[in-house]
């Protein structure tokens, strides 16, 4: 599989769902269905299955790693996007989009976004949220169970949405992380470390900047 295949597929689907009024019902279905194998998720099945290569699709009635990852990230995007006039999705950059978002005209590309744990690190500077966010992030980083992680991420996206941050999240990159999270214990550990570096690295950077201002 190409390195960014899951990311590119998810980014393309988000653009389709965002730019097509007739898919609003699909977004509502996705928000209402916690998992890819839920009957309420069925409106999303043809869109996701058409976008994924055949060898990435599930068999025997069980969702594949790719289907789980793409669907989970799409659901977080759908939750965040609901009620917002601004497009809440933004890829970190377009350098690796060799077969998807590079096809989008430059004037139609969304503004660049950031990864979700970087956004949470930004949000942590709100002192009222610091303790609750630290607890939720530690809980997310403490498990290798994909269902627990997705459930925790849904709560974290809810916090970001409630604070109306003027930033865009790279939900396509999140899908790619969730795909690799399921591959092995070692792979899940690598993803968890990357998320921790985004969150705590941002915290440390801001603390350093605050210290410089006080000097």
């Amino acid at each position: 599989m190409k390195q960014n295949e899951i990311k590119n597929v998810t980014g393309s689907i988000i653009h389709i769902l965002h730019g097509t009024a007739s898919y609003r019902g699909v977004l509502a279905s996705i928000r209402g269905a916690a998992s890819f194998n839920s009957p309420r998720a069925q409106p999303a099945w043809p869109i996701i299955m058409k976008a994924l290569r055949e060898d990435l699709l599930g068999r025997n009635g069980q969702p594949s790693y790719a289907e789980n990852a793409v669907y989970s990230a799409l659901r977080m995007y759908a939750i965040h996007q609901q009620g917002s006039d601004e497009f809440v999705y933004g890829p970190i950059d377009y350098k690796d989009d060799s077969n998807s978002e590079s096809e989008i005209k430059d004037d139609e590309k969304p503004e660049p976004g950031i990864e979700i744990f970087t956004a949470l690190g930004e949000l942590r500077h709100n002192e009222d949220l610091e303790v609750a966010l630290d607890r939720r992030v530690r809980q997310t980083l403490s498990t290798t169970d994909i269902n627990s992680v997705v459930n925790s991420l849904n709560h974290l996206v809810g916090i970001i949405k409630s604070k109306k941050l003027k930033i865009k999240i790279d939900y396509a990159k999140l899908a790619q992380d969730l795909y690799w999270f399921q591959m092995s214990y070692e792979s899940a550990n690598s993803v968890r470390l990357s998320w921790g570096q985004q969150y705590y690295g941002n915290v440390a950077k801001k603390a350093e900047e605050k210290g410089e201002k006080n000097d």
Side-chain angles (χ1 to χ4, degrees):
M1 186 180 75
K2 294 180 180 178
Q3 182 180 1
N4 294 308
E5 185 167 355
I6 299 298
K7 172 176 172 283
N8 289 336
V9 164
T10 306
S12 295
I13 294 175
I14 289 175
H15 280 288
I16 291 171
L17 294 176
H18 179 71
T20 310
S22 59
Y23 283 141
R24 288 175 183 168
V26 177
L27 285 170
S29 297
I30 292 173
R31 283 193 295 271
S35 63
F36 187 68
N37 56 358
S38 166
R40 294 190 64 182
Q42 288 182 12
W45 290 357
I47 300 170
I48 294 174
M49 292 180 187
K50 180 182 178 181
L52 289 170
R53 282 192 290 111
E54 185 175 356
D55 60 319
L56 292 174
L57 298 176
R59 295 286 184 272
N60 303 318
Q62 296 300 317
S64 67
Y65 291 164
E67 289 168 338
N68 271 335
V70 173
Y71 182 80
S72 296
L74 287 178
R75 184 162 186 262
M76 292 173 211
Y77 157 72
I79 290 171
H80 191 181
Q81 186 64 59
Q82 185 181 26
S84 175
D85 294 331
E86 300 290 331
F87 192 19
V88 301
Y89 164 67
I92 298 170
D93 57 51
Y94 293 93
K95 289 188 298 184
D96 299 320
D97 297 327
S98 58
N99 59 359
S100 59
E101 293 180 306
S102 61
E103 299 172 358
I104 300 171
K105 296 178 181 177
D106 287 343
D107 60 355
E108 295 177 355
K109 288 180 177 179
E111 297 174 9
I114 58 177
E115 297 197 60
I116 187 168
F117 280 90
T118 302
L120 291 166
E122 295 276 350
L123 193 57
R124 186 185 184 274
H125 299 291
N126 181 332
E127 293 181 354
D128 294 336
L129 294 174
E130 182 178 329
V131 174
L133 268 180
D134 281 356
R135 182 174 63 248
R136 182 69 72 177
V137 168
R138 282 198 300 269
Q139 181 182 23
T140 306
L141 301 181
S142 68
T143 179
T144 55
D145 179 80
I146 185 62
N147 293 323
S148 296
V149 165
V150 168
N151 185 52
S152 292
L153 285 169
N154 284 328
H155 286 291
L156 290 168
V157 168
I159 294 173
I160 292 174
K161 177 181 174 65
S162 70
K163 298 304 172 187
K164 303 183 185 304
L165 291 182
K166 297 293 184 184
I167 54 176
K168 299 177 184 294
I169 306 295
D170 192 344
Y171 288 104
K173 175 59 168 57
L174 181 59
Q176 183 170 287
D177 287 347
L178 292 173
Y179 175 77
W180 289 112
F181 194 96
Q182 299 169 85
M183 296 301 288
S184 68
Y185 180 80
E186 291 75 16
S187 184
N189 267 345
S190 178
V191 172
R192 292 192 301 179
L193 175 58
S194 174
W195 288 346
Q197 289 167 335
Q198 292 167 31
Y199 182 72
Y200 296 112
N202 188 289
V203 170
K205 179 181 177 183
K206 290 293 182 182
E208 185 176 319
E209 290 175 355
K210 185 177 180 180
E212 289 177 353
K213 289 180 180 178
N214 292 335
D215 288 342

